[in-house]
Amino acid sequence: MHQYRVVKYSPEERAGTVPSWTSVSDIGDSFGGVVLTRAAYLETEELHLAAVRRFAAAQGVTGLRVEGLEIDPESSWWQRVAEGDLLPLDEAVELVRAVLREDFVWCRLSGDDGFFVHLGYDYYLYIGLTRAPEAAVAATRRSGLHVDPFESPYLDRG
């Protein structure tokens, strides 16, 4: 099994020595003298969604199952998604977007042959797959995200 943590944070940001935004709600706030704009936020969001697509392609996954669903009636996903639903990849990626945007929804996603996508707090993304994803790792790193071997802390959540 290959497992990774995919994040926007540099090692210094992860250590807390350099300030960084953690949420869509930080748009308009300043971090190290740089204001987080909506455009910059959306660019980073898209990088994370592209990573999910790349890793899914590396595993040959075309759909993801919703697991551990936590949803509030305020979510735009309320009554659109249920525990156990198998979503086409594009729809699953949109659900990932909703989780990243803190749209009152959280879940884990799983696909064929052990593939998974887990979303942590503060823009942490965990991906696991059985096939070696060298090209996906390399492309995601080239995009500017950090990809490190890392076991998902959400594996044991039931």
Side-chain angles (χ1 to χ4, degrees):
M1 187 74 176
H2 305 273
Q3 294 186 48
Y4 300 91
R5 176 180 61 194
V6 178
V7 295
K8 67 181 198 67
Y9 305 107
S10 68
E12 297 79 17
E13 290 168 323
R14 283 189 298 247
T17 58
V18 173
S20 184
W21 62 270
T22 61
S23 167
V24 66
S25 63
D26 290 333
I27 292 173
D29 293 343
S30 180
F31 299 89
V34 177
V35 174
L36 175 63
T37 64
R38 180 165 173 75
Y41 170 83
L42 291 174
E43 179 180 333
T44 301
E45 179 183 86
E46 285 301 323
L47 292 176
H48 283 75
L49 301 177
V52 171
R53 287 186 189 97
R54 272 190 213 101
F55 281 87
Q59 183 82 7
V61 169
T62 59
L64 294 170
R65 186 164 313 282
V66 176
E67 298 176 344
L69 181 64
E70 298 174 16
I71 192 164
D72 187 281
E74 293 181 57
S75 174
S76 64
W77 284 80
W78 181 251
Q79 298 184 336
R80 286 179 52 196
V81 66
E83 180 74 19
D85 282 355
L86 180 61
L87 305 177
L89 184 60
D90 287 342
E91 191 172 349
V93 168
E94 288 306 310
L95 181 54
V96 169
R97 182 189 311 273
V99 174
L100 290 173
R101 289 187 181 180
E102 301 173 341
D103 184 18
F104 304 101
V105 62
W106 182 88
C107 65
R108 297 180 315 274
L109 298 166
S110 65
D112 295 334
D113 300 327
F115 182 86
F116 67 79
V117 175
H118 297 163
L119 293 114
Y121 295 100
D122 299 339
Y123 252 79
Y124 279 78
L125 180 64
Y126 304 94
I127 300 176
L129 59 170
T130 57
R131 296 183 187 166
E134 289 92 358
V137 168
T140 301
R141 285 180 176 150
R142 280 193 308 274
S143 79
L145 296 179
H146 300 271
V147 182
D148 303 299
F150 200 92
E151 186 174 299
S152 172
Y154 299 97
L155 284 174
D156 295 331
R157 283 183 106 177

